[in-house]
Amino acid sequence: MSTNKSQNLKLHLWEPEDNFLRTEFNENFSAIDAALKAEADQRTALEQHVTSSGHVIGSFTGNGGTQTITLGFKPSFVIITGKVTPESSWYYLSNLMVCGGSMGAHFQRTDTGFTVKYVTNATTYTNREGITYAYLAFR
């Protein structure tokens, strides 16, 4: 029998001296299957909400380079906020884009979302490494 359980899904974890039980493997696979199904159901519900509501709220972690956030539509308006530093409790308005515009090298709309780029020596940052950004995007 397993000695320990994983933190999130409570899967069986075995120490070298533990015996394996087939039922424990089956329980692990059932838990993984249920978690994947719940994630898929949540994703479907979110996609339906986005389609019906005309906006999406999400987040991404800055990577210090360039990255594209896929929304499934071309946004007309995006608001992005981020922390000043990973340790800080202070947030700032990082970027505001209205009706087809862009913020030069920092931010660009795409047909399916938007692209953010970290630019050093800038007054606003949209993809600083390690910073968690939240966004609100409208169709």
Side-chain angles (χ1 to χ4, degrees):
M1 292 185 57
S2 66
T3 302
N4 300 309
K5 299 274 186 164
S6 66
Q7 182 178 357
N8 297 309
L9 293 179
K10 306 303 179 205
L11 302 175
H12 295 279
L13 301 173
W14 296 271
E15 296 293 329
E17 62 276 0
D18 291 345
N19 291 320
F20 294 100
L21 297 178
R22 185 178 312 165
T23 55
E24 291 175 332
F25 279 102
N26 290 338
E27 288 171 8
N28 280 0
F29 288 125
S30 292
I32 292 168
D33 184 62
L36 290 172
K37 171 79 167 92
E39 174 68 23
D41 290 348
Q42 185 178 22
R43 187 175 306 266
T44 299
L46 178 60
E47 289 169 358
Q48 290 172 348
H49 175 72
V50 168
T51 301
S52 64
S53 69
H55 70 278
V56 64
I57 298 170
S59 65
F60 63 92
T61 301
N63 64 12
T66 300
Q67 65 176 308
T68 298
I69 310 304
T70 302
L71 305 171
F73 59 90
K74 187 173 190 173
S76 61
F77 183 88
V78 179
I79 299 170
I80 302 173
T81 65
K83 284 187 162 194
V84 175
T85 67
E87 302 80 25
S88 174
S89 61
W90 293 92
Y91 282 82
Y92 58 90
L93 182 63
S94 172
N95 190 353
L96 178 65
M97 186 280 296
V98 182
C99 299
S102 68
M103 277 191 63
H106 301 279
F107 179 91
Q108 189 69 44
R109 279 190 321 162
T110 68
D111 288 339
T112 58
F114 59 93
T115 298
V116 289
K117 181 177 182 182
Y118 177 72
V119 178
T120 57
N121 300 323
T123 56
T124 61
Y125 299 107
T126 57
N127 196 29
R128 190 172 175 184
E129 186 171 2
I131 302 293
T132 300
Y133 295 89
Y135 60 84
L136 171 60
F138 295 90
R139 287 187 181 275

